[in-house]
Amino acid sequence: MRKLPNDTAGDLLTDAASNTAADKADGPIRRCILSGERAERDQLIRLAISPEGLVAPDVRARAPGRGAWIGVNRPVLEEAIAKGRLKAALARAFKTGPITVPDDLPGMIEEALTRALLDRLGLEARSGTLLTGSDRIAEAARRGKVEMLLHASDASADGNAKLDQAWRVGSDSEGSGQRGAVLPVDRTRLSVALGRDNAVHVALTDHRAAVRIDQFLGRLLHFQGEGAVPGPGMAT
């Protein structure tokens, strides 16, 4: 998984700041309105600004109009809101009148990121790139067919360990410590998202699908203040 930049810096990124030739060469880049640093937009979270100045999460980056990009985790964002730094940075960037930052913005962002991850997992399930069921996953893992392994938050430690071991055996990485990532959702919510009964463990069998899930999961875990988690073929 790509590590998000500036885990502890209070960096906010806006649409309006990246117009250099280097930016165009490197792809969609956004500049931090607090630190001046840049990052790829797919590693960040967009905040949409309504005509009335209301700030709302736009994690899919589809809302029309102007917006701002953040790369901070939830604790840093909460501090920035409490001390007025977020509102001040947005006001300096947009100069469009009063801006309203909801008190529950961090929770709104976390829920939106969670929904985006679950929606993506549901799409992968329907496309046939995802396996559930411990026995099926273990068999595929031992055959080297698993690109990414995920566990529900309420999965048993023993069940996780058995599948992690099968994955290490199949990927010829015994002794590496490689293990599946624990999702920040329980089996009930995971099952609903996948449209399957009692989904406790998930395996991605397609590399591109695993990369897509890695991106969605990485943004969510980063925002929650977690470190990097093992992505496709990565060890902890």
PDB file of all heavy atoms in Angstrom, residues 137-157:
ATOM      1  N   ILE A 137     -11.238 -19.819   0.557  1.00  0.00           N
ATOM      2  CA  ILE A 137     -10.103 -18.896   0.617  1.00  0.00           C
ATOM      3  C   ILE A 137      -8.820 -19.656   0.933  1.00  0.00           C
ATOM      4  O   ILE A 137      -7.774 -19.423   0.312  1.00  0.00           O
ATOM      5  CB  ILE A 137     -10.360 -17.798   1.661  1.00  0.00           C
ATOM      6  CG1 ILE A 137     -11.498 -16.887   1.196  1.00  0.00           C
ATOM      7  CG2 ILE A 137      -9.088 -16.983   1.911  1.00  0.00           C
ATOM      8  CD1 ILE A 137     -11.918 -15.853   2.222  1.00  0.00           C
ATOM      9  N   ALA A 138      -8.872 -20.577   1.878  1.00  0.00           N
ATOM     10  CA  ALA A 138      -7.685 -21.336   2.249  1.00  0.00           C
ATOM     11  C   ALA A 138      -7.144 -22.127   1.064  1.00  0.00           C
ATOM     12  O   ALA A 138      -5.930 -22.169   0.828  1.00  0.00           O
ATOM     13  CB  ALA A 138      -8.001 -22.266   3.414  1.00  0.00           C
ATOM     14  N   GLU A 139      -8.046 -22.760   0.316  1.00  0.00           N
ATOM     15  CA  GLU A 139      -7.615 -23.539  -0.849  1.00  0.00           C
ATOM     16  C   GLU A 139      -6.959 -22.639  -1.893  1.00  0.00           C
ATOM     17  O   GLU A 139      -5.882 -22.962  -2.425  1.00  0.00           O
ATOM     18  CB  GLU A 139      -8.809 -24.257  -1.468  1.00  0.00           C
ATOM     19  CG  GLU A 139      -8.445 -25.085  -2.692  1.00  0.00           C
ATOM     20  CD  GLU A 139      -9.657 -25.762  -3.319  1.00  0.00           C
ATOM     21  OE1 GLU A 139     -10.777 -25.604  -2.788  1.00  0.00           O
ATOM     22  OE2 GLU A 139      -9.472 -26.435  -4.351  1.00  0.00           O
ATOM     23  N   ALA A 140      -7.604 -21.502  -2.196  1.00  0.00           N
ATOM     24  CA  ALA A 140      -7.037 -20.577  -3.175  1.00  0.00           C
ATOM     25  C   ALA A 140      -5.722 -20.002  -2.690  1.00  0.00           C
ATOM     26  O   ALA A 140      -4.770 -19.830  -3.473  1.00  0.00           O
ATOM     27  CB  ALA A 140      -8.035 -19.465  -3.469  1.00  0.00           C
ATOM     28  N   ALA A 141      -5.636 -19.714  -1.408  1.00  0.00           N
ATOM     29  CA  ALA A 141      -4.412 -19.138  -0.849  1.00  0.00           C
ATOM     30  C   ALA A 141      -3.240 -20.101  -0.975  1.00  0.00           C
ATOM     31  O   ALA A 141      -2.134 -19.705  -1.362  1.00  0.00           O
ATOM     32  CB  ALA A 141      -4.637 -18.750   0.607  1.00  0.00           C
ATOM     33  N   ARG A 142      -3.458 -21.362  -0.647  1.00  0.00           N
ATOM     34  CA  ARG A 142      -2.379 -22.348  -0.720  1.00  0.00           C
ATOM     35  C   ARG A 142      -1.912 -22.572  -2.157  1.00  0.00           C
ATOM     36  O   ARG A 142      -0.763 -22.962  -2.389  1.00  0.00           O
ATOM     37  CB  ARG A 142      -2.831 -23.674  -0.109  1.00  0.00           C
ATOM     38  CG  ARG A 142      -3.058 -23.602   1.401  1.00  0.00           C
ATOM     39  CD  ARG A 142      -3.240 -24.972   2.002  1.00  0.00           C
ATOM     40  NE  ARG A 142      -3.637 -24.889   3.407  1.00  0.00           N
ATOM     41  CZ  ARG A 142      -4.887 -24.946   3.831  1.00  0.00           C
ATOM     42  NH1 ARG A 142      -5.880 -25.120   2.967  1.00  0.00           N
ATOM     43  NH2 ARG A 142      -5.163 -24.847   5.123  1.00  0.00           N
ATOM     44  N   ARG A 143      -2.790 -22.315  -3.105  1.00  0.00           N
ATOM     45  CA  ARG A 143      -2.436 -22.471  -4.521  1.00  0.00           C
ATOM     46  C   ARG A 143      -1.811 -21.213  -5.099  1.00  0.00           C
ATOM     47  O   ARG A 143      -1.498 -21.148  -6.283  1.00  0.00           O
ATOM     48  CB  ARG A 143      -3.683 -22.841  -5.323  1.00  0.00           C
ATOM     49  CG  ARG A 143      -4.241 -24.219  -4.994  1.00  0.00           C
ATOM     50  CD  ARG A 143      -5.624 -24.399  -5.605  1.00  0.00           C
ATOM     51  NE  ARG A 143      -5.621 -24.085  -7.028  1.00  0.00           N
ATOM     52  CZ  ARG A 143      -6.673 -23.617  -7.698  1.00  0.00           C
ATOM     53  NH1 ARG A 143      -7.800 -23.371  -7.050  1.00  0.00           N
ATOM     54  NH2 ARG A 143      -6.599 -23.379  -8.992  1.00  0.00           N
ATOM     55  N   GLY A 144      -1.641 -20.202  -4.254  1.00  0.00           N
ATOM     56  CA  GLY A 144      -1.019 -18.963  -4.719  1.00  0.00           C
ATOM     57  C   GLY A 144      -1.947 -18.094  -5.537  1.00  0.00           C
ATOM     58  O   GLY A 144      -1.480 -17.275  -6.338  1.00  0.00           O
ATOM     59  N   LYS A 145      -3.241 -18.224  -5.332  1.00  0.00           N
ATOM     60  CA  LYS A 145      -4.226 -17.502  -6.129  1.00  0.00           C
ATOM     61  C   LYS A 145      -4.808 -16.285  -5.415  1.00  0.00           C
ATOM     62  O   LYS A 145      -5.700 -15.627  -5.956  1.00  0.00           O
ATOM     63  CB  LYS A 145      -5.369 -18.439  -6.521  1.00  0.00           C
ATOM     64  CG  LYS A 145      -4.938 -19.666  -7.308  1.00  0.00           C
ATOM     65  CD  LYS A 145      -4.318 -19.289  -8.640  1.00  0.00           C
ATOM     66  CE  LYS A 145      -3.967 -20.530  -9.466  1.00  0.00           C
ATOM     67  NZ  LYS A 145      -3.322 -20.162 -10.751  1.00  0.00           N
ATOM     68  N   VAL A 146      -4.325 -15.980  -4.232  1.00  0.00           N
ATOM     69  CA  VAL A 146      -4.873 -14.854  -3.470  1.00  0.00           C
ATOM     70  C   VAL A 146      -3.916 -13.665  -3.550  1.00  0.00           C
ATOM     71  O   VAL A 146      -2.739 -13.786  -3.209  1.00  0.00           O
ATOM     72  CB  VAL A 146      -5.115 -15.242  -2.001  1.00  0.00           C
ATOM     73  CG1 VAL A 146      -5.428 -14.012  -1.152  1.00  0.00           C
ATOM     74  CG2 VAL A 146      -6.254 -16.243  -1.913  1.00  0.00           C
ATOM     75  N   GLU A 147      -4.442 -12.534  -3.993  1.00  0.00           N
ATOM     76  CA  GLU A 147      -3.654 -11.310  -4.101  1.00  0.00           C
ATOM     77  C   GLU A 147      -3.762 -10.438  -2.855  1.00  0.00           C
ATOM     78  O   GLU A 147      -2.836  -9.696  -2.528  1.00  0.00           O
ATOM     79  CB  GLU A 147      -4.126 -10.494  -5.317  1.00  0.00           C
ATOM     80  CG  GLU A 147      -3.841 -11.142  -6.652  1.00  0.00           C
ATOM     81  CD  GLU A 147      -2.374 -11.054  -7.041  1.00  0.00           C
ATOM     82  OE1 GLU A 147      -1.675 -10.176  -6.489  1.00  0.00           O
ATOM     83  OE2 GLU A 147      -1.927 -11.858  -7.872  1.00  0.00           O
ATOM     84  N   MET A 148      -4.896 -10.524  -2.187  1.00  0.00           N
ATOM     85  CA  MET A 148      -5.111  -9.698  -0.993  1.00  0.00           C
ATOM     86  C   MET A 148      -6.073 -10.422  -0.081  1.00  0.00           C
ATOM     87  O   MET A 148      -7.060 -11.005  -0.555  1.00  0.00           O
ATOM     88  CB  MET A 148      -5.672  -8.330  -1.387  1.00  0.00           C
ATOM     89  CG  MET A 148      -5.740  -7.313  -0.253  1.00  0.00           C
ATOM     90  SD  MET A 148      -6.335  -5.703  -0.860  1.00  0.00           S
ATOM     91  CE  MET A 148      -5.839  -4.648   0.504  1.00  0.00           C
ATOM     92  N   LEU A 149      -5.814 -10.380   1.209  1.00  0.00           N
ATOM     93  CA  LEU A 149      -6.636 -11.077   2.198  1.00  0.00           C
ATOM     94  C   LEU A 149      -7.143 -10.069   3.217  1.00  0.00           C
ATOM     95  O   LEU A 149      -6.380  -9.249   3.740  1.00  0.00           O
ATOM     96  CB  LEU A 149      -5.803 -12.159   2.888  1.00  0.00           C
ATOM     97  CG  LEU A 149      -6.484 -12.998   3.975  1.00  0.00           C
ATOM     98  CD1 LEU A 149      -7.662 -13.788   3.391  1.00  0.00           C
ATOM     99  CD2 LEU A 149      -5.475 -13.947   4.605  1.00  0.00           C
ATOM    100  N   LEU A 150      -8.449 -10.154   3.506  1.00  0.00           N
ATOM    101  CA  LEU A 150      -9.090  -9.215   4.419  1.00  0.00           C
ATOM    102  C   LEU A 150      -9.922  -9.964   5.443  1.00  0.00           C
ATOM    103  O   LEU A 150     -10.520 -10.991   5.126  1.00  0.00           O
ATOM    104  CB  LEU A 150      -9.998  -8.245   3.644  1.00  0.00           C
ATOM    105  CG  LEU A 150      -9.358  -7.478   2.484  1.00  0.00           C
ATOM    106  CD1 LEU A 150     -10.433  -6.780   1.666  1.00  0.00           C
ATOM    107  CD2 LEU A 150      -8.339  -6.476   3.004  1.00  0.00           C
ATOM    108  N   HIS A 151      -9.994  -9.427   6.655  1.00  0.00           N
ATOM    109  CA  HIS A 151     -10.784 -10.032   7.722  1.00  0.00           C
ATOM    110  C   HIS A 151     -11.743  -9.001   8.311  1.00  0.00           C
ATOM    111  O   HIS A 151     -11.377  -7.830   8.480  1.00  0.00           O
ATOM    112  CB  HIS A 151      -9.874 -10.530   8.857  1.00  0.00           C
ATOM    113  CG  HIS A 151      -8.743 -11.407   8.404  1.00  0.00           C
ATOM    114  ND1 HIS A 151      -8.930 -12.625   7.795  1.00  0.00           N
ATOM    115  CD2 HIS A 151      -7.384 -11.227   8.487  1.00  0.00           C
ATOM    116  CE1 HIS A 151      -7.747 -13.174   7.533  1.00  0.00           C
ATOM    117  NE2 HIS A 151      -6.803 -12.338   7.939  1.00  0.00           N
ATOM    118  N   ALA A 152     -12.958  -9.433   8.627  1.00  0.00           N
ATOM    119  CA  ALA A 152     -13.897  -8.556   9.319  1.00  0.00           C
ATOM    120  C   ALA A 152     -13.350  -8.222  10.703  1.00  0.00           C
ATOM    121  O   ALA A 152     -12.556  -8.977  11.277  1.00  0.00           O
ATOM    122  CB  ALA A 152     -15.265  -9.226   9.439  1.00  0.00           C
ATOM    123  N   SER A 153     -13.792  -7.095  11.254  1.00  0.00           N
ATOM    124  CA  SER A 153     -13.255  -6.648  12.544  1.00  0.00           C
ATOM    125  C   SER A 153     -13.578  -7.608  13.678  1.00  0.00           C
ATOM    126  O   SER A 153     -12.849  -7.653  14.672  1.00  0.00           O
ATOM    127  CB  SER A 153     -13.795  -5.256  12.876  1.00  0.00           C
ATOM    128  OG  SER A 153     -15.218  -5.279  12.980  1.00  0.00           O
ATOM    129  N   ASP A 154     -14.666  -8.381  13.532  1.00  0.00           N
ATOM    130  CA  ASP A 154     -15.040  -9.313  14.594  1.00  0.00           C
ATOM    131  C   ASP A 154     -14.705 -10.760  14.249  1.00  0.00           C
ATOM    132  O   ASP A 154     -15.210 -11.690  14.886  1.00  0.00           O
ATOM    133  CB  ASP A 154     -16.528  -9.179  14.923  1.00  0.00           C
ATOM    134  CG  ASP A 154     -17.433  -9.394  13.716  1.00  0.00           C
ATOM    135  OD1 ASP A 154     -16.911  -9.392  12.571  1.00  0.00           O
ATOM    136  OD2 ASP A 154     -18.651  -9.549  13.901  1.00  0.00           O
ATOM    137  N   ALA A 155     -13.839 -10.964  13.270  1.00  0.00           N
ATOM    138  CA  ALA A 155     -13.376 -12.318  12.958  1.00  0.00           C
ATOM    139  C   ALA A 155     -12.501 -12.821  14.105  1.00  0.00           C
ATOM    140  O   ALA A 155     -11.829 -12.046  14.784  1.00  0.00           O
ATOM    141  CB  ALA A 155     -12.587 -12.324  11.655  1.00  0.00           C
ATOM    142  N   SER A 156     -12.494 -14.128  14.317  1.00  0.00           N
ATOM    143  CA  SER A 156     -11.700 -14.688  15.408  1.00  0.00           C
ATOM    144  C   SER A 156     -10.212 -14.648  15.068  1.00  0.00           C
ATOM    145  O   SER A 156      -9.819 -14.770  13.908  1.00  0.00           O
ATOM    146  CB  SER A 156     -12.118 -16.134  15.678  1.00  0.00           C
ATOM    147  OG  SER A 156     -11.708 -16.983  14.622  1.00  0.00           O
ATOM    148  N   ALA A 157      -9.394 -14.479  16.085  1.00  0.00           N
ATOM    149  CA  ALA A 157      -7.950 -14.448  15.887  1.00  0.00           C
ATOM    150  C   ALA A 157      -7.453 -15.767  15.304  1.00  0.00           C
ATOM    151  O   ALA A 157      -6.549 -15.794  14.462  1.00  0.00           O
ATOM    152  CB  ALA A 157      -7.247 -14.145  17.205  1.00  0.00           C
TER     153      ALA A 157
END
